[in-house]
Amino acid sequence: MSAAIDVLLAIGVAVELACCIGVLVMGDAYDKLHYLGPATIVGPVCIAAAIVTQESLDQAGVKSLLTAGLLIVAGPVLTHATARAMSIRQRDGEPT
Amino acid sequence: MNAWLVAAAALLVGLVPCLVVMVRGSIVEALVGLQMAGVLETVTLMVLAEGFHRAPFQDLALVLALLTLASGLVFARMLERWV
Amino acid sequence: MVVWLLLVDTIDPEELAAGAVAAALAATVATTVHRRGYIRFQPRLRWLRHTPALLWNVLVDCRLLGVALWQRVVLRRPVTGTTVRVPFEHGGDTGRDGARRALVNFAISLTPNSYVIDIDPEAHSLLIHQLVADLPDRIPGLSADPAP
């Protein structure tokens, strides 16, 4: 079980760090926004799974699942809102 | 030192690219970097809570996730027309 | 109430009472908002049938983004996204159409390779940005229920 926790933790951390690098190296804001996706889905799910594997469904496990669920819902909402803001600024001739 | 604290330390390194984007990028790119940093810190708090064996720290992660969502929406709305 | 009990992890009478008060307040606000018509949201249960395909698309898109990142960082090739406009029946101001627009927007933006920039009601189309150009029929929800 310890190996499973370590693997889930490693995957979660690797995905988060890869997404940070993606946000850094990709071209414009439209391209960078895509890397919020795996950061809000895969990373939190893996880490919540690791916490649940360690703690089972006690208070820590349940809260980690709630947090991961909240991030999964928040990711697409934030992505769309940011993309729409950039689109409106471009249309109005504001610097983006 | 346990695997959770090592993971948290590794996650904190991810703040550096986010900071670079926030400082050097355009205003919308900075917002993307800020949102990424918010998500990263939420996950870091989840891991730290487990590393320190302090279940109440999970509340911090939950609240930060909520605040990241709310603040991201507010900033995006402000950027549409008022900044 | 369920979320309250999950968060406090106890069924002490004081916590049950506090949770009941919080749930009552939340239900009152929700009912008031619904009655005034500020938010019209009436999804269909059968729309959930798209969930397995959506989850699969999320995993496939994560791989696409990983390959794109590899190309950018290791192979030093430029990676540039594209914007596509796809037909989308906007519908009216009913709760059903509003829910359909919101959930299609959410489903497309959930998959990492695509997200909705804007919904154009006059042109009946969606403006979607993709990092890696992909088939439009992989975009979830666009081949869903026709507008009534």
Side-chain angles (χ1 to χ4, degrees):
Chain A
M1 189 181 292
S2 176
I5 293 170
D6 290 343
V7 166
L8 286 168
L9 207 51
I11 293 172
V13 170
V15 167
E16 293 292 330
L17 291 178
C19 289
C20 290
I21 293 170
V23 167
L24 177 65
V25 302
M26 286 298 163
D28 63 0
Y30 283 132
D31 295 339
K32 291 179 193 295
L33 265 175
H34 288 278
Y35 286 90
L36 275 184
T40 56
I41 301 171
V42 181
V45 164
C46 287
I47 287 170
I51 293 172
V52 169
T53 305
Q54 172 108 348
E55 303 285 342
S56 80
L57 286 174
D58 69 351
Q59 197 176 18
V62 167
K63 283 180 182 172
S64 67
L65 287 174
L66 280 172
T67 307
L70 194 55
L71 285 174
I72 289 170
V73 169
V77 173
L78 286 175
T79 302
H80 168 67
T82 308
R84 190 163 179 273
M86 183 157 171
S87 164
I88 290 172
R89 286 179 73 87
Q90 284 178 334
R91 198 179 61 210
D92 294 345
E94 296 286 339
T96 57
Chain B
M1 196 61 138
N2 54 43
W4 298 95
L5 294 178
V6 173
L11 285 170
L12 283 175
V13 173
L15 278 179
V16 175
C18 297
L19 189 63
V20 171
V21 171
M22 280 189 265
V23 169
R24 300 193 60 197
S26 67
I27 193 165
V28 182
E29 289 173 5
L31 178 58
V32 177
L34 180 67
Q35 289 168 356
M36 185 68 220
V39 171
L40 191 68
E41 284 316 296
T42 302
V43 171
T44 305
L45 281 173
M46 288 168 71
V47 173
L48 279 174
E50 203 55 34
F52 289 127
H53 304 292
R54 295 274 193 272
F57 284 9
Q58 293 288 352
D59 295 332
L60 294 175
L62 190 59
V63 170
L64 183 59
L66 274 167
L67 290 177
T68 301
L69 171 61
S71 67
L73 289 175
V74 168
F75 282 126
R77 190 75 176 144
M78 291 288 292
L79 281 181
E80 281 180 14
R81 286 195 176 86
W82 290 280
V83 174
Chain C
M1 184 73 181
V2 170
V3 175
W4 183 279
L5 291 177
L6 284 174
L7 287 173
V8 300
D9 196 34
T10 177
I11 51 172
D12 288 345
E14 295 88 2
E15 291 294 348
L16 286 175
V21 169
L25 271 168
T28 304
V29 171
T31 306
T32 306
V33 167
H34 186 260
R35 279 201 183 141
R36 297 212 173 181
Y38 293 143
I39 299 173
R40 296 188 197 97
F41 190 79
Q42 291 175 316
R44 284 184 190 274
L45 198 62
R46 65 180 186 191
W47 291 345
L48 285 175
R49 75 180 192 269
H50 298 291
T51 305
L54 181 62
L55 294 175
W56 176 250
N57 283 341
V58 168
L59 293 175
V60 170
D61 281 8
C62 285
R63 185 184 166 276
L64 286 176
L65 259 63
V67 168
L69 187 62
W70 180 266
Q71 286 180 337
R72 181 75 183 88
V73 174
V74 177
L75 303 179
R76 303 253 179 215
R77 287 184 202 152
V79 175
T80 311
T82 53
T83 305
V84 294
R85 189 175 287 275
V86 294
F88 177 73
E89 183 56 49
H90 185 264
D93 282 337
T94 64
R96 193 79 72 204
D97 287 334
R100 186 171 54 85
R101 287 192 295 271
L103 290 175
V104 166
N105 189 344
F106 181 82
I108 293 172
S109 302
L110 185 70
T111 54
N113 189 43
S114 316
Y115 56 77
V116 173
I117 297 175
D118 206 356
I119 300 175
D120 192 339
E122 283 100 27
H124 293 284
S125 63
L126 289 176
L127 194 62
I128 294 172
H129 190 271
Q130 292 188 308
L131 187 64
V132 177
D134 203 358
L135 299 170
D137 58 3
R138 271 200 58 241
I139 298 171
L142 292 183
S143 55
D145 308 324

